Amino acid sequence: MTGLDQTAQSLAGIRLVLLGRPAAMNFQEFRREVTARGLKLVSSSEEPADWIVIGEKSLFSVEENELQKLAEEIARKQRGPHAEILWESEFWRRLGLLEQSPGVRSLYTPGLIARLVNVPVSVIRQWQRRGLLVPTQTVCRLAYFDYQAVIRAKNLAELAKAGVSVRRILGRWRDLAQQSPFLGEAMERWPLVVRWQQAFFRYGDKLVDPTGQFHFDFSETIAEGCLPGTGIISLEKSLAHSFATGGSSRDELLWIADVCEETNRLADAIEVYRFILATGGPQAEVCFRLADVLYRAGDLSGARERYFMTLELDPEYLEAYLNLGSVLVELGDRELAMAAYEGALRLHPDFPDAHFLLAQLLEEMGRHQEAEKHWQRFLDLVPDGPWCELARSHLALKKENQPH
């Protein structure tokens, strides 16, 4: 009996409803995968259903009415007989299309996803920090994502190109959460509130707006009949106030820095990270994030030193080795860059990005024979990906140049 036959036998007779558009495939392909495994796809008006599957492409729709329709459909189904509600990614796992415990070779690093969806790798990390991309496993702080996360990243990248920010996406989801208990539960990780017709993130007794500015919550004062106000204070004043009163936590400040990065206020992000280090002492994660922003701001020497400090604080910080190597290449220190890439591979021999970048560097240094094994190892780990064509072209060229 094949794996497909076993899945069909175990799922035979389950009735499911698809709400919204699936992200992994079109509706016809979705129906084909479902029926091949013995499930019955019913319309949203039919009853009963055993599973309600939320198509994740609709969650990232640019169209406001599509999201509204999805919320209404979920709310309507929740008022009917009990059925289990599944995100699309969880549904694919139950069907066996996504392995529950995949090996590294079937997963994608932030760098690979960034190449696939054509965004900076720092953006992938921001999406991960916001909970929009959830890693399947982590090796020495290096996140690995499954293919469903790649699909979600593509949707996010399309929204970004359409001018829809992450904050706007979360704001829409907040509106949906108010209409659906299921989505409301899923949204608990983002403490969104609304004041004065504007969305804020709440941290303790303070609000932070999408620009990273603190606001005082005057909701209680308003209730007592006082004039409303938002009490906006500048980033510099809010940091000084935090230092004086100890009123802001490390997580609050990290969130503000993250917002500054997203809005391309790199100088402000740098100041926030330095403030965190000045008040809280050396921290590997903060040094790494500061190094990333310094690099984006064009301060290569500053980024180099912060990556070195990250590794001093945490010698197993894989991405710090990788990024340090790339900065050293740009600074012209190829030998030290090679040592950084090799350091990453000593920690994690199956790190595909390190094999690729080391192979590329060895080619530039004229060490073609040494590069060959890293090109081949990269292809072994990632047989189908954004850098594979370049790796194969280098290997093909070497075969052509070999004496017959």
Side-chain angles (χ1 to χ4, degrees):
M1 182 180 292
T2 66
L4 181 60
D5 291 335
Q6 290 175 337
T7 302
Q9 189 177 64
S10 63
L11 300 176
I14 290 179
R15 296 164 62 87
L16 69 93
V17 169
L18 172 66
L19 300 184
R21 290 182 295 154
M25 57 190 68
N26 61 39
F27 181 76
Q28 289 74 23
E29 292 168 333
F30 183 92
R31 178 183 290 276
R32 186 166 59 248
E33 292 290 348
V34 164
T35 55
R37 286 162 175 79
L39 294 90
K40 183 177 181 182
L41 184 62
V42 299
S43 71
S44 59
S45 60
E46 293 184 49
E47 296 290 353
D50 301 301
W51 290 350
I52 297 173
V53 179
I54 310 299
E56 294 187 13
K57 191 169 184 64
S58 290
L59 289 174
F60 299 96
S61 174
V62 178
E63 300 296 329
E64 299 279 357
N65 59 354
E66 183 174 350
L67 287 166
Q68 182 63 33
K69 181 181 178 183
L70 177 62
E72 292 171 356
E73 287 181 330
I74 295 172
R76 185 172 63 251
K77 297 300 291 185
Q78 286 180 316
R79 287 193 291 268
H82 175 73
E84 188 176 5
I85 301 180
L86 307 174
W87 293 114
E88 179 187 344
S89 52
E90 173 59 22
F91 174 68
W92 294 129
R93 286 189 180 91
R94 294 198 185 186
L95 263 60
L97 294 179
L98 293 176
E99 298 177 14
Q100 291 287 356
S101 300
V104 169
R105 290 173 178 78
S106 62
L107 300 177
Y108 298 79
T109 64
L112 290 172
I113 295 181
R115 281 294 187 101
L116 281 168
V117 304
N118 195 28
V119 299
V121 69
S122 59
V123 172
I124 301 298
R125 295 194 192 101
Q126 285 177 3
W127 292 344
Q128 179 188 346
R129 291 195 291 265
R130 299 288 179 89
L132 295 170
L133 298 179
V134 180
T136 299
Q137 66 185 66
T138 303
V139 179
C140 296
R141 291 184 185 251
L142 173 66
Y144 278 95
F145 300 88
D146 62 20
Y147 187 65
Q148 194 69 22
V150 177
I151 294 170
R152 181 171 288 191
K154 287 181 179 178
N155 291 328
L156 287 166
E158 289 171 4
L159 284 175
K161 290 177 182 176
V164 181
S165 69
V166 169
R167 297 183 307 284
R168 187 177 173 195
I169 294 168
L170 295 177
R172 288 180 178 181
W173 290 4
R174 177 207 64 228
D175 296 337
L176 292 180
Q178 294 173 349
Q179 302 175 50
S180 164
F182 171 71
L183 290 176
E185 183 178 342
M187 280 296 297
E188 285 182 357
R189 72 181 70 181
W190 296 297
L192 287 162
V193 296
V194 178
R195 292 286 185 273
W196 318 290
Q197 306 301 312
Q198 186 177 354
F200 297 87
F201 285 78
R202 176 180 290 286
Y203 285 103
D205 61 350
K206 293 180 289 297
L207 304 178
V208 185
D209 73 12
T211 68
Q213 290 179 314
F214 280 130
H215 296 245
F216 295 114
D217 187 355
F218 285 102
S219 55
E220 295 182 2
T221 306
I222 295 170
E224 295 172 1
C226 296
L227 292 174
T230 57
I232 299 175
I233 55 179
S234 69
L235 177 66
E236 293 79 7
K237 288 182 179 179
S238 67
L239 292 177
H241 177 74
S242 297
F243 182 78
T245 64
S248 291
S249 70
R250 173 181 178 275
D251 288 343
E252 291 174 30
L253 295 171
L254 285 174
W255 186 87
I256 293 171
D258 210 30
V259 171
C260 291
E261 285 191 56
E262 186 186 351
T263 54
N264 209 36
R265 293 163 55 195
L266 301 184
D268 284 342
I270 289 168
E271 289 307 307
V272 177
Y273 287 133
R274 285 176 172 161
F275 179 82
I276 295 171
L277 293 171
T279 57
Q283 303 160 61
E285 175 65 21
V286 179
C287 284
F288 179 83
R289 288 171 64 167
L290 175 55
D292 270 358
V293 183
L294 288 168
Y295 176 79
R296 289 173 59 192
D299 185 354
L300 297 184
S301 296
R304 176 190 60 195
E305 295 311 310
R306 287 296 176 176
Y307 284 131
F308 271 123
M309 181 176 288
T310 301
L311 292 172
E312 289 172 5
L313 296 169
D314 184 355
E316 295 189 351
Y317 205 128
L318 267 176
E319 285 195 281
Y321 284 101
L322 194 75
N323 292 7
L324 173 61
S326 298
V327 168
L328 290 167
V329 168
E330 291 194 43
L331 289 171
D333 196 341
R334 292 179 172 179
E335 292 291 341
L336 196 53
M338 186 171 65
Y341 293 144
E342 289 173 342
L345 290 174
R346 276 194 297 272
L347 275 177
H348 183 30
D350 290 341
F351 190 2
D353 307 45
H355 281 289
F356 180 90
L357 293 173
L358 180 53
Q360 200 169 43
L361 176 59
L362 288 168
E363 291 283 2
E364 294 172 2
M365 297 171 70
R367 299 163 66 166
H368 307 296
Q369 189 170 358
E370 293 174 68
E372 184 175 358
K373 67 177 183 180
H374 292 288
W375 289 127
Q376 187 58 60
R377 185 61 182 145
F378 171 77
L379 289 173
D380 292 340
L381 294 167
V382 187
D384 183 21
W387 294 329
C388 292
E389 185 176 346
L390 179 60
R392 290 193 180 98
S393 66
H394 278 286
L395 290 174
L397 183 62
K398 286 176 175 55
K399 288 182 180 178
E400 290 177 6
N401 293 334
Q402 287 177 353
H404 298 287

